[in-house]
Amino acid sequence: MAPRTRAEALSRERIVEAAVELLDADGESGLTFRTLTERLTTGPGAIYWHVANKAELLDAATDSVVSNALAVETTGSPQDEIRTLALGLFDAIARHPWLSPQLAVQLSRSPWGSVTPRIFEDIGQRVSALGVPEATWFTATSALAHYIFGAAGQNAANVRVLDDVDRAEFLHAAANAWEELDSDEYPFMKSIAGQVREHDDREQFLTGVDLILTGITADAGPCGSSRP
């Protein structure tokens, strides 16, 4: 591979790319301007020329990953396109463990930044195409976005916890333990224990998206009908 030119090495895009690499490797604590200068073999002044501080760098890294996650080919019905976008975010959050807390920060502290409008626009356009009343667009889009962030974030947390554990064995042990619960106190838990053993996280996630879409489109008429 040819060496990067100085201009390429010091571009904002390369800085953000290196920041994402450091975040993926060591989380937020592993991203400092010192580690970044070492990764880029440059001085801190060159980095500060492009980004003012760590908070701006985290925002830029989050925006970059989210943009890539949403840059998927969406074809078909609005429901199918929403599923595709949701799954893109789900997979991105699974690949980048630091992303879920950063999205929470973006939503709560700076909803006017680039990330929240980008996500809401991409999902909201499809929600509006479902034929639901305009007065419900914000609520419906919020419900989808918060489910995506919550479910994907919990899945990412599970993946981290089970990083050194065989998933199948863990689920089998959990299912066995639930089956041993007292029938009078935990009838529901015992009834679903068998479903835990073989469930697919991505399919389970999409089932949740479908449940929300069914609720959103319940009164929308033919244009908002969900898949069979």
Side-chain angles (χ1 to χ4, degrees):
M1 180 181 296
R4 293 179 180 271
T5 67
R6 182 174 178 82
E8 288 174 331
L10 300 182
S11 70
R12 180 181 174 88
E13 290 75 15
R14 175 56 189 145
I15 291 170
V16 172
E17 178 185 326
V20 171
E21 293 168 357
L22 290 170
L23 287 164
D24 287 347
D26 299 306
E28 185 178 342
S29 63
L31 176 62
T32 66
F33 274 69
R34 179 178 179 180
T35 58
L36 196 56
T37 56
E38 291 173 353
R39 173 63 65 96
L40 294 170
T41 61
T42 189
I47 297 175
Y48 281 116
W49 177 263
H50 295 282
V51 288
N53 49 50
K54 183 175 178 177
E56 182 181 332
L57 187 56
L58 283 168
D59 289 349
T62 302
D63 183 64
S64 175
V65 171
V66 168
S67 297
N68 289 334
L70 294 175
V72 292
E73 184 177 354
T74 53
T75 57
S77 68
Q79 290 97 329
D80 288 337
E81 293 188 357
I82 288 172
R83 293 183 197 100
T84 300
L85 293 170
L87 202 55
L89 289 169
F90 179 88
D91 290 339
I93 291 172
R95 287 193 302 268
H96 306 282
W98 54 272
L99 183 58
S100 181
Q102 286 304 315
L103 285 172
V105 169
Q106 290 274 351
L107 283 171
S108 60
R109 296 183 184 177
S110 57
W112 49 79
S114 60
V115 173
T116 301
R118 189 186 305 279
I119 294 171
F120 268 68
E121 182 66 28
D122 277 22
I123 297 175
Q125 284 186 17
R126 278 76 184 182
V127 168
S128 65
L130 291 172
V132 300
E134 185 173 351
T136 68
W137 288 358
F138 172 70
T139 300
T141 303
S142 294
L144 280 164
H146 286 295
Y147 168 75
I148 292 167
F149 298 151
Q154 184 61 56
N155 176 74
N158 293 343
V159 170
R160 290 196 298 275
V161 170
L162 301 179
D163 190 41
D164 297 322
V165 179
D166 183 274
R167 181 179 183 275
E169 290 182 4
F170 179 86
L171 293 178
H172 188 77
N176 287 346
W178 288 6
E179 287 175 342
E180 296 300 320
L181 292 171
D182 182 84
S183 298
D184 294 329
E185 191 172 1
Y186 299 101
F188 175 77
M189 294 296 289
K190 288 177 67 70
S191 70
I192 65 170
Q195 299 175 28
V196 173
R197 289 190 178 91
E198 303 298 332
H199 82 276
D200 181 273
D201 293 330
R202 295 169 95 244
E203 284 298 321
Q204 184 183 48
F205 170 75
L206 286 177
T207 296
V209 172
D210 282 346
L211 288 171
I212 296 174
L213 287 173
T214 297
I216 289 172
T217 59
D219 299 319
C223 291
S225 58
S226 56
R227 68 175 180 179

